Amino acid sequence: MERNPDMCKMFARNPFFESDLVVGTQWRIYYSWSVQIGPKCVDISFKNGTKEIVHRVWSDMNEYLEMQPNWDAAALLLNIGSSRHEVMLFTDQGPVGGFIGVPNIVRDGNIPPLRKSVSLIKFHMKLVESGRYLVVMDCQLGVASLSARSNVPVTLSDIITVAMELNLGEGHPACTVARDNEDPFIMKQYI
């Protein structure tokens, strides 16, 4: 998938995203575009952007951001893998599911960035198949993932079918294990 600033505009046609349908649920990434996750499983989860969470992210990242988001528009906290990888999501104007993200690089525990050197990230999220699957896309890098609730079994053929219908180009299955003499099933694994 090439980097394309209009990618999220195309993807945002017929938007469908409800925060209530994603918060409090653990989602497992089963397919990705522009990044190979491999056979391991990566889970993502969302929390509502409470005042405490927003204040903590602001305290961690305020001085490192090139531009400040509208901190009052904080909507969700996205946790990726472990709780140390997080992105504060702010509602963006435009189609439903558009967000501006602040990656909390300080919380990752890596070397702190230079002052005013961290860019905001533009995200788009969409629930597909009546909310059964969640697509999360980084609009600048073109990195995207297809997830399903981690407690709901899905087959590899289901995932491939949905991924092809999204028409985002060639991607890569993740979190897969094949059973003997059966279609491959997506199995629960732990990183």
Side-chain angles (χ1 to χ4, degrees):
M1 186 180 333
E2 295 179 9
R3 294 180 187 186
N4 181 345
D6 295 326
M7 182 187 312
C8 281
K9 289 180 185 174
M10 175 203 67
F11 186 67
R13 291 185 195 128
N14 303 316
F16 174 50
F17 183 80
E18 294 280 338
S19 295
D20 293 343
L21 296 178
V22 299
V23 170
T25 300
Q26 185 168 304
W27 296 83
R28 181 154 292 153
I29 297 174
Y30 291 116
Y31 200 87
S32 62
W33 292 268
S34 296
V35 65
Q36 283 194 8
I37 296 172
K40 69 179 180 177
C41 297
V42 176
D43 292 334
I44 60 175
S45 62
F46 298 87
K47 294 180 184 176
N48 286 314
T50 64
K51 288 182 182 181
E52 294 80 15
I53 291 172
V54 173
H55 180 72
R56 180 180 55 76
V57 174
W58 179 87
S59 295
D60 288 348
M61 292 303 299
N62 180 45
E63 67 183 275
Y64 301 113
L65 296 173
E66 284 179 343
M67 295 177 50
Q68 295 293 316
N70 177 0
W71 291 96
D72 292 332
L76 298 169
L77 182 72
L78 166 61
N79 287 297
I80 305 164
S82 71
S83 61
R84 297 190 60 79
H85 301 290
E86 64 182 21
V87 179
M88 186 84 240
L89 299 173
F90 301 81
T91 304
D92 193 16
Q93 293 180 353
V96 173
F99 294 92
I100 299 297
V102 171
N104 194 343
I105 295 170
V106 171
R107 187 168 173 92
D108 282 345
N110 297 330
I111 298 171
L114 299 173
R115 292 175 57 98
K116 299 190 185 280
S117 67
V118 177
S119 299
L120 299 176
I121 304 168
K122 185 167 179 61
F123 280 95
H124 194 86
M125 290 188 276
K126 185 174 185 175
L127 288 160
V128 295
E129 300 282 321
S130 300
R132 184 173 181 200
Y133 301 101
L134 173 66
V135 181
V136 178
M137 181 179 291
D138 176 325
C139 298
Q140 279 116 344
L141 296 179
V143 173
S145 65
L146 173 64
S147 305
R149 290 171 180 83
S150 62
N151 62 350
V152 177
V154 295
T155 66
L156 181 56
S157 62
D158 289 343
I159 295 296
I160 299 295
T161 299
V162 173
M164 295 304 112
E165 288 172 359
L166 290 169
N167 199 26
L168 296 175
E170 186 177 334
H172 313 280
C175 192
T176 58
V177 174
R179 295 182 183 178
D180 292 336
N181 300 324
E182 294 182 8
D183 289 334
F185 277 84
I186 306 300
M187 303 293 291
K188 290 186 177 181
Q189 296 180 350
Y190 300 97
I191 297 174

